[in-house]
Amino acid sequence: MKLNKILLSAMMLLGAVTSSAQESDAKVAYDFNPHWYIQGQIGGQYTLGEVKFSDLLSPNAQLSVGYNFNPTFGLRFGANGWQSRGGWELNKTYKWKYNYVAPALDLMFNLSNAFAGYNPHRVFNILAFVGGGANVAWGNDEAATASAAIGQTEFPYSHQNLAYLWDGTKVRAFGRAGLGLDFQVSPRIALGLEFSANVLNDRYNSKRAHNADWYFNGLAGIKIALGKTYSERTIEAPQPVERIVERVVEKAVPTPAPTPAPVVERETIRRDVFFTINSFKISPAEEVKVKELADYLNSHSDATVSVTGYADAGTGNNTINDRLAAQRAQSVLDMLRSKYNIKESRISTDSKGAYIQPFKENDKNRVSICIAE
């Protein structure tokens, strides 16, 4: 009785270990959730000019609200502003500052997700953006004072006397582009740095230079997502593909002298055609496997082949991976048909995207699994 209990306990323990191992083979996939976010930033600005760099630095801030449509693209609306500076080096240095606010709409690109695939747990994300809006400027009194002082000098070119001097409130269109780096603190909170170049017409800093005026912003801030940014789902581990040997028994025609019936064995073959990341082109090394399939089909006139395309879950998103998996299966079909003259009626194709991962190693799941029988 004691021995039976020991054996029963051992079997239960073995079952638990086996169950745990099977569960560890299952994978978790992440689906992006479109979401809103708010963002606050503060930093500094350099207004391009002809005086010392330090004389053209001023404070800057930005408040925005945005929406991410998918892992790669989003829109952001915000208002940037505070202060810009101007200057002119003549017989002495003349400096002035003025205020502005610039509402703008930006198209946002997550370069990390676009090139390395969506990963909600990635710590650093590189962003790019391009956009534009209206710059509303006011408080240009210091430029007027400088213009009056310059007009009293006899220094060459002083007759220009800030030819584009403006007063009151001025509204000018501007465009901008920039890069950002987000450091993810949690799924909903990220700290970030952002740098942008902004361009306006020649009248922004009151000086006539016959070229565009520019200012450059450097900002640091926080971004807070309003809602869940992703959801999880479990992908069960696929059942291992079994090696199948089909035994075909052919009846011999009876003869007066009985002879043993010949036994013909035909082995089912499997070839895994691997691809590089984000590609469905068959390399010369992998084409050897396609030729082996073709040779088998030519040797067995009644045989057929099934081709199933896959993509790895570690990169891309469901839309990209579904397309890649189908293209990888189609590439094998096209090569069998066009290069090795295998009739399309003998080839069946399927696509599993990245929902099923045949291999534990992520990179091996960029594959078309081909079984001929």
Side-chain angles (χ1 to χ4, degrees):
M1 180 65 69
K2 187 175 181 180
L3 178 60
N4 290 341
K5 288 183 178 180
I6 294 174
L7 291 175
L8 180 60
S9 299
M11 291 176 65
M12 291 177 65
L13 179 61
L14 179 61
V17 172
T18 304
S19 174
S20 175
Q22 289 176 345
E23 289 178 1
S24 67
D25 288 340
K27 291 192 175 184
V28 176
Y30 302 103
D31 294 322
F32 177 85
N33 292 340
H35 59 273
W36 291 91
Y37 64 86
I38 56 174
Q39 185 177 30
Q41 300 163 288
I42 192 166
Q45 179 183 110
Y46 169 68
T47 313
L48 191 63
E50 292 78 20
V51 296
K52 287 193 306 183
F53 179 84
S54 59
D55 291 335
L56 296 172
L57 295 177
S58 55
N60 192 253
Q62 184 166 283
L63 184 64
S64 309
V65 59
Y67 186 78
N68 288 326
F69 295 97
N70 56 47
T72 305
F73 297 107
L75 282 177
R76 181 180 69 176
F77 177 76
N80 170 269
W82 200 329
Q83 193 178 91
S84 289
R85 290 181 177 268
W88 201 353
E89 190 73 42
L90 295 172
N91 59 328
K92 59 178 287 188
T93 300
Y94 297 91
K95 299 179 291 183
W96 56 92
K97 60 181 180 293
Y98 44 99
N99 300 316
Y100 81 95
V101 63
L105 183 67
D106 296 317
L107 180 60
M108 309 295 295
F109 305 90
N110 188 313
L111 301 180
S112 298
N113 286 340
F115 292 101
Y118 175 60
N119 179 2
H121 302 303
R122 182 180 291 117
V123 177
F124 292 103
N125 281 284
I126 300 174
L127 312 174
F129 61 91
V130 61
N135 180 293
V136 183
W138 70 93
N140 202 31
D141 298 339
E142 290 186 8
T145 301
S147 178
I150 294 171
Q152 296 174 4
T153 70
E154 296 180 359
F155 196 85
Y157 309 114
S158 61
H159 63 279
Q160 294 183 13
N161 195 20
L162 298 184
Y164 287 157
L165 180 66
W166 53 271
D167 59 5
T169 301
K170 297 295 181 183
V171 180
R172 301 176 179 88
F174 78 98
R176 69 176 177 182
L179 291 172
L181 177 64
D182 277 0
F183 172 79
Q184 183 169 273
V185 179
S186 74
R188 296 191 183 184
I189 299 176
L191 304 178
L193 297 174
E194 180 176 305
F195 303 92
S196 65
N198 304 259
V199 61
L200 308 91
N201 65 32
D202 192 25
R203 296 177 178 271
Y204 183 61
N205 65 3
S206 299
K207 293 177 61 178
R208 181 170 62 194
H210 303 292
N211 52 39
D213 288 337
W214 291 80
Y215 59 82
F216 304 89
N217 293 334
L219 300 165
I222 186 170
K223 181 189 296 181
I224 303 174
L226 306 178
K228 290 186 64 175
T229 59
Y230 70 94
S231 56
E232 297 181 0
R233 55 186 170 83
T234 302
I235 300 176
E236 298 297 334
Q239 296 298 320
V241 179
E242 296 182 359
R243 184 183 178 92
I244 301 172
V245 177
E246 180 180 344
R247 184 181 296 271
V248 179
V249 179
E250 296 182 357
K251 283 189 175 182
V253 177
T255 60
T259 57
V263 176
V264 178
E265 292 188 356
R266 188 171 74 204
E267 182 181 358
T268 297
I269 71 166
R270 166 177 164 169
R271 295 294 181 266
D272 298 337
V273 181
F274 294 101
F275 299 83
T276 58
I277 186 170
N278 200 31
S279 172
F280 55 91
K281 182 179 179 181
I282 301 174
S283 67
E286 297 302 304
E287 185 180 337
V288 173
K289 301 175 183 177
V290 181
K291 184 178 185 303
E292 291 173 352
L293 289 168
D295 291 342
Y296 178 89
L297 293 169
N298 286 327
S299 299
H300 303 83
S301 59
D302 60 338
T304 60
V305 61
S306 64
V307 182
T308 305
Y310 298 85
D312 69 285
T315 56
N317 53 51
N318 287 339
T319 301
I320 295 172
N321 289 334
D322 289 347
R323 185 187 71 245
L324 272 175
Q327 289 172 327
R328 286 165 179 167
Q330 186 65 34
S331 293
V332 176
L333 183 150
D334 291 341
M335 181 170 287
L336 285 171
R337 182 183 57 186
S338 61
K339 188 166 184 177
Y340 297 107
N341 299 317
I342 304 299
K343 292 182 178 179
E344 189 170 346
S345 60
R346 301 176 65 190
I347 311 168
S348 63
T349 60
D350 193 7
S351 169
K352 301 299 184 183
Y355 303 109
I356 294 177
Q357 301 289 271
F359 299 97
K360 292 183 180 180
E361 185 178 339
N362 181 68
D363 292 355
K364 285 189 175 182
N365 293 308
R366 305 162 190 151
V367 66
S368 283
I369 295 179
C370 311
I371 299 175
E373 55 185 354

